[in-house]
Amino acid sequence: MTTTHTTAADRTEQVPQRREELRAFLRSRRARVRPEDVGLPGRGLRRTPGLRREEVATLAGIGVSWYTWLEQGRTINVSDSVVESIGRVLRLDHAERAYLYQLVGLKPPEEKILENSALMHELERLVDAWSPYPAYVLDRWWNFVIINESAQAVFGLRGYGQNCLISFFTDAKYRSFFANWDTLAPQVVADFRGSAAAYPDDGRFTAIASELNARSPEFAKLWDQHDVRKESNGTKAVLHPVLGEMTFDHLVLHPSSRHDLRVTVHLPREGFEARRRLERLLESQPASSLRCL
């Protein structure tokens, strides 16, 4: 029997090959995603099929230059949370996501929570039926997996792969929608710590916190306070360019069979008049349906 040994020279030679495959893989996955699939306008002249690099970066909540370097195969540090975000934007299935982990030099997650298709379908129906009021569903790491049109229009959400926590602290446009951002920020960080505490062996929470510590001094200061809470409701004061200022009470629910999912529904305090304003806003928006992966 012949035994094959991998030498240091072999491994060195494999690095450029892996980077070339990473570049080709990301470009091919990006080309197959239609802009309208992720809530972007699909009309007009586009020199390349699918999504542009800057669109992938924006939807994933990462820098355009950083994503470009990744697609070029440059030597940069990549976290689990970034791989997950890119995987969601590019609509990768489980095998493709695991392959992306391998190409960037990370170990794929040992297990993946299987989504109950019947449950996800019912959650889609619930979220859509809640319109014209905003509603969405987050996974355990606070990535958006289902969003209705109202949430997209009211909070400036773009699509799948967007991480709620990362966008809240690093996306200037997203955070500008919250008139009470300074009040919400400590609660959001404490709530995320509470979510992470429920999964002590899940390193992706640590990866997300580490990424934000590096990117947001505001998050780093709040995270260092070690506040924790498990809140199921709250209030958001929204300052919208069309709606003006509106106040929403929101409630967080967890399906009994999927405690890792967070279903958040919103109700405006202004009553019937707020409903009419929301309906008029949706009527003025181009049709887009943001579905779960």
Side-chain angles (χ1 to χ4, degrees), residues 124-286:
E124 283 185 3
R125 292 182 59 201
L126 170 65
V127 167
D128 282 345
W130 198 256
S131 189
Y133 304 131
Y136 51 74
V137 179
L138 305 180
D139 65 13
R140 71 160 74 174
W141 306 284
W142 290 28
N143 296 308
F144 290 98
V145 293
I146 305 176
I147 318 170
N148 71 2
E149 289 183 277
S150 183
Q152 182 189 15
V154 171
F155 300 118
L157 297 173
R158 289 182 296 273
Y160 301 115
Q162 188 174 0
N163 182 277
C164 180
L165 185 70
I166 293 175
S167 296
F168 187 82
F169 280 94
T170 64
D171 187 329
K173 181 179 179 181
Y174 180 55
R175 62 185 285 176
S176 70
F177 280 82
F178 299 100
N180 61 336
W181 189 94
D182 291 336
T183 302
L184 280 175
Q187 300 173 11
V188 168
V189 174
D191 199 5
F192 184 75
R193 188 180 289 277
S195 295
Y199 304 96
D201 298 325
D202 191 330
R204 291 186 226 183
F205 289 100
T206 302
I208 292 171
S210 297
E211 180 179 342
L212 276 172
N213 269 316
R215 296 178 61 186
S216 171
E218 294 162 312
F219 175 86
K221 180 179 179 180
L222 292 170
W223 189 250
D224 195 46
Q225 294 176 5
H226 295 277
D227 292 334
V228 61
R229 73 169 196 162
K230 190 172 183 61
E231 194 64 42
S232 60
N233 53 57
T235 301
K236 295 174 184 174
V238 176
L239 189 58
H240 194 275
V242 177
L243 295 172
E245 188 164 352
M246 294 183 68
T247 301
F248 291 89
D249 292 319
H250 69 264
L251 178 66
V252 178
L253 307 170
H254 298 273
S256 59
S257 60
R258 286 290 305 272
H259 289 285
D260 59 306
L261 296 178
R262 296 165 56 93
V263 183
T264 304
V265 295
H266 300 77
L267 275 175
R269 290 187 173 180
E270 291 82 359
F272 181 76
E273 175 56 30
R275 181 184 180 93
R276 291 296 306 134
R277 290 161 64 188
L278 289 168
E279 288 174 340
R280 288 194 294 268
L281 176 66
L282 293 181
E283 290 170 357
S284 68
Q285 301 294 309

Side-chain angles (χ1 to χ4, degrees), residues 57-95:
T58 300
L59 290 169
I62 58 181
V64 176
S65 296
W66 190 95
Y67 177 79
T68 300
W69 294 338
L70 176 66
E71 194 170 296
Q72 290 174 344
R74 298 194 189 186
T75 303
I76 55 177
N77 294 323
V78 184
S79 68
D80 285 11
S81 63
V82 168
V83 175
E84 286 297 317
S85 293
I86 293 173
R88 289 193 178 280
V89 173
L90 298 182
R91 307 173 76 84
L92 304 184
D93 61 24
H94 180 56

